Amino acid sequence: MNIEVVTEKTLPRLRLPQVSRPGWFGRLWMLAVLPALLLFTIPILTIFLRLSLSDFIHSLRQEAVLQAVHLSLITSFISLLGIILFGTPAAYYLYRRRSRLHWLADTLVDLPTVLPPAVAGVALLLAFGREGLFGPLLRSWGISLPFTTAAVVLAQMFIAAPFYIRSASVGFAAVDCELKHAAALDGASRWQIFRYIVLPMSAPAVLSGCILAWSRALGEFGATLIFAGNLAGRTRTMPLAIYIGFETNLEVALTLSAILILVSSFALLMLKVVIKNHLPAN
Amino acid sequence: MKKWLLCLTALIWLAGCTSIPSNSATQTSDPASPLFPGGERTLLVFAATSLTEAFTELSQTFEAQMGTQVELNFANANTLSEQILQGAPADVFASAAPKFMDKLVENGKVDAQAGEIFARNQLIVILPRRNPADLETLQDLAKPGIKLVMGAKEGPQGEYVEGFLDKASASANFGAGYKDAVYSNVVSYESTVKGVVNKVALGEADAGIVFVTDAKSASEKVLTISIPDAFNVVAEYPIAPLKNSSNPQLARQFVDFVLSPEGQQILAKYGFLPPDGD
C-alpha cells in the first residue's frame, strides 16, 4: 500500500509480480527464515517461561528492583534530553554535506555504534576521570564525574546519541529542497525554515531517532560499569542490576530482564507505528 | 500468510516448552560431552579471578610437563560455580571460597571428599601511588568523603571484607561505627577484584580493599596499608576435579600438581600463603 503511493509519484508505472499466494518456492523460503527467528525468540521466550507471575510480582516489590528501574528511567530520559539538545544541531549539520569536514564528522558519529561499550567506558574514564585528561580542569570546577549518576548519563549519551543523530539527519535530508527555497524566497530566516518547514516535515524521523536512542540508553551496560561503577541507587541501572543479580539473585535478574524486554518491545512497536502512520504523509 | 504466522508461533512455543525440561534433564544425568576441541588432551580449568597470574604460570608448567593443553577460564568464583551448575564443561574448579565449592558438592558436581584447600589469602588496603586522599591508617578508611571501591558485597571477596570490618568494629581501636562509616564511603562495588585494582591504580578511587596477591601483582601501581592479623580474615581456596570431567585422570593430575611442592612454590611466588601454615 505504502510502496504503491511512493512509486506512483516518483517512478513511471511498474508492473510488479503478483504476490497473492506463495508457491513452493515461497514456502521453502519461509522455512529458511525460521532459524534466524528461532534464534531470537527461543532465548527471549525462555526468560518468561522461567519466571512465574508470582515471582515477577514478588520481585517487583524488592528494593533492588525498584531502585534500578527508577534510576534507569531517570537517567535514560535525561540522556534523551541531552541527546536531543546536542544531537539536533549535529544532525542538521551532517545532512547538508557541504563542509570538507563532513566525512570526518559523519564517521565519528557512527563510531560509538560499532565500538564495544567497554571501549567507550575506558575512553570516558581516561578523558573525564578524576586522573583523566580533563580531570584537573573538572576538579578545579569542583566536579568529579566517575561513580556519579552524571557519569551514567554521559555513558548513555555517548552510546545512544548516534542513533538519534543518524535518524534525524536522514529525516532532514528527505525534506524537499524546493520547499526550503520557496520559503527563503518568501523571506523566511534560516531558523524559521528549520522550525516551520524542516522540523515538522521530518518529525517522524526525529521521533524514531528519539525512540531508538532512548531504548539504547536504557540498555547501556559496559560503558556504565567501567565509567560510572556500580552502586545501588546511584549508578546501578537495570542492566547492571541484571549482571549483579545473575550472581546473587536470579529472580531479580529475570524480573529486570523481563521488564527490559517488554519496554524495549513496546518502544520498537511504537517506532513501527510512527513510521507507518507518517510515511504516506511525506 | 496468517496461517503461516500461526504455524510459526505454535512451533516456537512448542520448541520453547519442550526444550527446557529435556535440556536440564540431560545436564544432570549425562556426563558432560567433550565439547571442546583438542579432545582428551585438553583440560578446561575454571579459576577465580584472583588466581589469574598464578594459574597462568601453573598451567604453563603443567602443559610443558604433561604435553597437554590447559585452557583457563577466569571469573568471579560465584559466576564460575553458576556456569558449572548450568552445564559448562569444566574439568577442574578452583574457588576463592569454600562456599562455592560446597554449592557444587550439594548439587552433585563434585565428590564430597574431592575438594582440597590449596592456598590461602588475606586482605590488604591499596591506594593510588599519588594517594590523593592522604590516607595512612586503616582508621582513615572511615574518613567521610573518601572514595572507596571493593568487590561486590555478595561475592566471595565482599564477605571477607565484611568479616574484617566486623572484627575491626568490635575493637576499641576502631569503634563500633567503623563498619558503617567505611561502607558509606563505598562509591562502587566492582564485579571482580581486578576491577577494584584498576580503579585504584588509575587514581579514580582513593582506596580499595583487595587480596594481598592482587596488591602484589600491581605493586608498581599502588601503595598498600596492611591489615594486622588480629583483624584480617583468611580466605581459603579449595580446588577439585569435577565429576562430569571428560578426562578425570588428567583433571586429578592437575589438582595434584597444584598441591605438589612445585605448584606450591609457584603460588607462593604470587603471594599466596600455604594451605596448612599458621
Side-chain angles (χ1 to χ4, degrees):
Chain A
M1 171 74 182
N2 297 339
I3 295 166
E4 275 176 16
V5 175
V6 175
T7 48
E8 265 178 9
K9 275 186 185 166
T10 51
L11 293 170
R13 267 202 168 288
L14 279 177
R15 281 200 71 77
L16 295 168
Q18 289 285 308
V19 279
S20 54
R21 311 196 75 226
W24 64 271
F25 184 76
R27 286 180 193 198
L28 213 65
W29 197 253
M30 281 183 166
L31 224 62
V33 175
L34 219 59
L37 280 181
L38 290 180
L39 178 67
F40 303 138
T41 9
I42 290 176
I44 288 175
L45 273 181
T46 315
I47 283 191
F48 290 97
L49 291 174
R50 271 294 292 269
L51 183 69
S52 71
L53 196 64
S54 61
D55 281 342
F56 181 77
I57 291 165
H58 176 253
S59 302
L60 273 183
R61 296 213 187 94
Q62 287 195 32
E63 183 75 16
V65 174
L66 289 175
Q67 258 180 343
V69 172
H70 184 238
L71 185 69
S72 266
L73 284 178
I74 287 183
T75 52
S76 61
F77 276 113
I78 295 176
S79 297
L80 180 60
L81 276 180
I83 288 169
I84 294 172
L85 204 64
F86 299 113
T88 310
Y92 197 56
Y93 168 80
L94 276 182
Y95 100 87
R96 300 194 306 174
R97 298 164 199 274
R98 283 197 195 138
S99 159
R100 285 201 185 152
L101 281 174
H102 172 265
W103 63 271
L104 184 69
D106 201 48
T107 313
L108 266 179
V109 161
D110 280 340
L111 203 55
T113 50
V114 292
L115 275 183
V119 174
V122 173
L124 283 168
L125 197 62
L126 294 184
F128 303 119
R130 206 165 59 157
E131 298 287 315
L133 197 58
F134 292 95
L137 181 70
L138 291 170
R139 194 162 51 233
S140 69
W141 297 337
I143 300 172
S144 171
L145 280 176
F147 312 121
T148 61
T149 309
V152 177
V153 170
L154 211 59
Q156 289 178 348
M157 281 176 64
F158 186 99
I159 296 294
F163 292 89
Y164 172 80
I165 296 176
R166 184 55 54 206
S167 180
S169 76
V170 168
F172 295 156
V175 176
D176 199 339
C177 273
E178 306 246 331
L179 280 172
K180 285 181 281 181
H181 290 317
L185 277 177
D186 287 340
S189 70
R190 272 173 183 243
W191 166 249
Q192 282 173 323
I193 292 174
F194 178 72
R195 170 67 186 79
Y196 295 107
I197 310 264
V198 178
L199 208 54
M201 293 200 72
S202 52
V206 172
L207 195 60
S208 338
C210 287
I211 295 173
L212 275 175
W214 178 74
S215 330
R216 185 64 192 82
L218 197 65
E220 212 309 300
F221 169 69
T224 309
L225 188 65
I226 292 178
F227 183 47
N230 166 42
L231 188 71
R234 201 191 297 174
T235 56
R236 188 181 293 171
T237 53
M238 287 164 74
L240 268 72
I242 291 171
Y243 182 63
I244 298 296
F246 175 70
E247 289 169 357
T248 56
N249 188 343
L250 198 62
E251 236 75 81
V252 167
L254 283 174
T255 304
L256 288 170
S257 303
I259 295 174
L260 271 183
I261 291 171
L262 291 174
V263 171
S264 304
S265 311
F266 181 73
L268 290 178
L269 213 68
M270 291 308 294
L271 186 72
K272 296 266 187 302
V273 170
V274 167
I275 292 173
K276 206 177 169 210
N277 283 351
H278 288 83
L279 209 62
N282 265 1
Chain B
M1 189 62 199
K2 262 193 184 152
K3 228 194 249 169
W4 274 99
L5 259 164
L6 214 77
C7 276
L8 199 74
T9 16
L11 217 129
I12 291 160
W13 191 251
L14 244 135
C17 289
T18 53
S19 71
I20 299 147
S22 68
N23 255 0
S24 51
T26 48
Q27 270 164 21
T28 45
S29 60
D30 288 2
S33 55
L35 280 174
F36 273 73
E40 288 191 345
R41 306 305 289 171
T42 301
L43 199 67
L44 184 60
V45 177
F46 277 28
T49 328
S50 48
L51 294 164
T52 306
E53 289 87 4
F55 263 52
T56 306
E57 186 175 335
L58 273 171
S59 68
Q60 280 163 358
T61 316
F62 185 75
E63 278 175 346
Q65 283 180 9
M66 308 294 290
T68 58
Q69 191 118 32
V70 178
E71 287 189 33
L72 296 164
N73 178 23
F74 296 110
N76 178 329
N78 196 354
T79 308
L80 291 175
S81 64
E82 200 63 43
Q83 286 173 343
I84 292 170
L85 287 180
Q86 299 292 327
D91 297 303
V92 175
F93 176 49
S95 170
K99 187 172 105 175
F100 306 109
M101 192 61 85
D102 296 345
K103 191 161 87 181
L104 294 190
V105 171
E106 276 165 34
N107 288 279
K109 295 282 181 187
V110 169
D111 271 325
Q113 284 84 33
E116 277 182 84
I117 304 297
F118 69 96
R120 293 179 312 145
N121 213 344
Q122 287 197 303
L123 293 176
I124 196 166
V125 175
I126 54 170
L127 317 167
R129 281 245 149 226
R130 250 173 23 90
N131 195 1
D134 205 19
L135 307 176
E136 278 167 21
T137 62
L138 291 177
Q139 279 83 352
D140 288 346
L141 294 182
K143 270 205 307 205
I146 72 156
K147 293 184 190 324
L148 191 63
V149 287
M150 52 173 77
K153 249 183 183 171
E154 302 82 359
Q157 203 244 356
E159 283 175 23
Y160 292 126
V161 170
E162 189 165 11
F164 150 60
L165 293 175
D166 279 335
K167 281 190 193 176
S169 299
S171 137
N173 287 338
F174 292 88
Y178 184 68
K179 181 181 171 182
D180 290 335
V182 171
Y183 273 134
S184 68
N185 279 337
V186 174
V187 290
S188 180
Y189 290 98
E190 299 291 314
S191 60
T192 67
V193 188
K194 297 289 174 210
V196 180
V197 173
N198 283 333
K199 291 262 159 84
V200 173
L202 279 172
E204 296 303 338
D206 296 324
I209 304 179
V210 297
F211 287 124
V212 170
T213 49
D214 299 301
K216 193 161 181 170
S217 59
S219 57
E220 316 97 69
K221 289 178 273 178
V222 295
L223 305 171
T224 57
I225 302 177
S226 55
I227 300 173
D229 282 350
F231 307 116
N232 217 326
V233 282
V234 174
E236 291 187 315
Y237 284 60
I239 190 169
L242 295 177
K243 260 196 215 169
N244 289 354
S245 168
S246 53
N247 201 336
Q249 207 184 344
L250 199 62
R252 186 69 244 171
Q253 279 170 325
F254 184 84
V255 172
D256 288 341
F257 174 70
V258 172
L259 293 163
S260 74
E262 193 183 356
Q264 289 295 308
Q265 212 179 345
I266 293 173
L267 284 162
K269 201 170 101 186
Y270 291 95
F272 285 99
L273 301 169
D276 45 2
D278 174 36

